């Protein structure tokens, strides 16, 4: 039964991992920017939920959309005033820019919050759900369910709203989209803001399960990168599939090699996939 328990543990994290990667994939797919800042925004969302829970006692599962809204405003402003002037430049320029922003935010959080790990302790604890001999923490069930709901809402927005169609149009051909009357710069800012919304919301959910610290931002960025490549850039279903696959592989890898090697296992998986199937499992040209 041990392997079933390990499998369930991995699946219980899959939805949360998908939420971590969805915003990263959106920004990469639409703006052609590898947003190195993404991991730090996840941690910032975790801190917002942590202090809001500490001050007002509100559940992080309720706070997640509000943490996402706060990081949306940060992301929107960053794109409008910092990133937008270098849009259309070689990808190395935007890579260096977001790397610099990441260093700034990481060091600002280190100076403000220190490097201590902090975790939201729910009172009373949610306990565990038992299915025969299988035990699943209820907080993980809540986090993965809400993570999947947020990813589903993003997919619906992209697929069935005028804003979503504008984002897809800009992704496919920005010049043609501009000729059709779409404000390209505003669409870029909103798409970047949506990516940071997903980062902040997933950070709030993470803080209810794992300890957070500014020094852990690179780990979350690495997971987002692996999931995007694993599922296929430009595919929301691919991000969901990649999240569950990574969760299961990490869970079995932790059993075999120890939890301290989980990130190493992720990058080995990334290297193998880049050689075998560089487009990912469900990769596609346009953002569905």
């Amino acid at each position: 039964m041990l392997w079933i328990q390990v499998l369930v543990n991995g699946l219980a994290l899959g939805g949360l991992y998908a939420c971590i990667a969805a915003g990263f994939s959106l920004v990469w797919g639409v703006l052609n920017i590898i947003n190195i800042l993404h991991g730090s925004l996840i941690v910032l969302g975790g801190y917002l939920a942590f202090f809001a829970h500490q001050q007002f006692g509100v559940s992080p599962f309720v706070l997640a959309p509000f943490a996402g809204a706060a990081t949306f405003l940060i992301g929107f402003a960053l794109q409008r005033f910092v990133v937008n002037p270098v849009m259309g430049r070689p990808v190395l320029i935007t890579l260096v820019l977001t790397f610099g922003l990441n260093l700034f935010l990481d060091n600002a959080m280190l100076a403000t919050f220190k490097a201590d790990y902090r975790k939201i302790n729910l009172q009373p604890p949610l306990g565990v759900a038992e299915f025969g001999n299988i035990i699943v923490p209820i907080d993980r069930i809540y986090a993965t369910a809400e993570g999947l709901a947020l990813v589903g809402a993003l997919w619906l927005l992209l697929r069935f709203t005028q804003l979503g169609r504008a984002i897809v149009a800009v992704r496919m051909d920005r010049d043609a989209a501009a000729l059709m009357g779409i404000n390209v710069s505003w669409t870029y800012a909103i798409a970047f803001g949506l990516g940071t919304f997903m980062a902040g919301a997933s950070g709030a959910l993470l803080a209810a399960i794992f300890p957070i610290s500014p020094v852990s931002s690179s780990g979350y960025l690495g997971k987002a990168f692996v999931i995007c490549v694993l599922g296929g850039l430009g595919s929301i279903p691919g991000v969901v599939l990649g999240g569950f696959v990574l969760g299961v592989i990490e869970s079995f890898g932790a059993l075999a090699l120890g939890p301290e090697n989980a990130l190493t296992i992720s990058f080995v998986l990334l290297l193998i996939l880049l050689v075998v199937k560089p487009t990912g499992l469900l990769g596609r040209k346009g953002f569905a």
Side-chain angles (χ1 to χ4, degrees):
M1 294 295 290
L2 177 60
W3 70 272
I4 298 179
Q5 178 67 63
V6 175
L7 176 64
V8 170
N9 289 345
L11 294 175
L13 288 176
L16 181 54
Y17 280 0
C19 190
I20 287 174
F24 185 76
S25 180
L26 176 68
V27 172
W28 192 356
V30 175
L31 284 77
N32 195 30
I33 289 175
I34 301 174
N35 184 16
I36 306 297
L37 184 62
H38 193 77
S40 298
L41 289 167
I42 290 173
V43 174
L44 180 61
Y47 274 116
L48 291 174
F50 175 83
F51 287 111
H53 175 76
Q54 198 174 53
Q55 291 295 321
F56 308 109
V58 183
S59 166
F61 305 111
V62 175
L63 291 168
F66 296 98
T71 50
F72 172 90
L73 295 176
I74 295 171
F76 184 89
L78 279 177
Q79 203 286 332
R80 287 293 293 167
F81 301 110
V82 181
V83 178
N84 199 50
V86 298
M87 286 297 298
R89 305 284 291 277
V91 69
L92 185 60
I93 300 295
T94 54
L95 189 70
V96 172
L97 176 62
T98 58
F99 179 69
L101 291 171
N102 174 65
L103 288 178
F104 176 81
L105 182 56
D106 266 358
N107 283 289
M109 288 193 293
L110 275 172
T112 307
F113 308 126
K114 311 303 178 188
D116 301 335
Y117 282 88
R118 307 184 193 201
K119 179 183 179 299
I120 296 175
N121 293 313
L122 296 171
Q123 295 297 336
L126 296 179
V128 298
E130 297 185 25
F131 306 95
N133 293 326
I134 307 300
I135 298 173
V136 188
I138 293 177
D139 55 359
R140 291 196 180 195
I141 296 176
Y142 281 4
T144 207
E146 188 166 348
L148 284 177
L150 290 170
V151 173
L154 178 63
W155 180 80
L156 291 173
L157 184 148
L158 292 173
R159 194 70 183 268
F160 297 109
T161 68
Q162 187 173 358
L163 172 62
R165 287 190 286 272
I167 291 174
V168 174
V170 169
R171 161 70 181 93
M172 300 300 291
D173 190 328
R174 57 175 290 172
D175 295 328
L179 289 173
M180 293 297 105
I182 295 174
N183 189 326
V184 174
S185 63
W186 275 93
T187 305
Y188 276 151
I190 292 172
F192 196 90
L194 287 173
T196 56
F197 174 93
M198 298 300 289
S202 61
L205 298 176
L206 268 170
I209 299 177
F210 299 113
I212 56 168
S213 167
V215 298
S216 58
S217 63
S218 59
Y220 296 132
L221 175 66
K223 290 183 191 297
F225 197 89
V226 170
I227 292 169
C228 285
V229 175
L230 184 61
L233 182 63
S235 170
I236 293 291
V239 165
V240 175
L241 177 61
F244 279 108
V245 171
L246 180 64
V248 171
I249 289 176
E250 275 193 357
S251 194
F252 278 100
L255 176 67
L257 303 174
E260 68 276 11
N261 294 308
L263 189 60
T264 304
I265 295 167
S266 303
F267 281 103
V268 170
L269 174 66
L270 173 66
L271 292 174
I272 294 173
L273 195 75
L274 285 173
V275 173
V276 177
K277 198 174 189 307
T279 58
L281 299 175
L282 299 177
R284 55 190 304 177
K285 292 181 179 179
F287 212 100

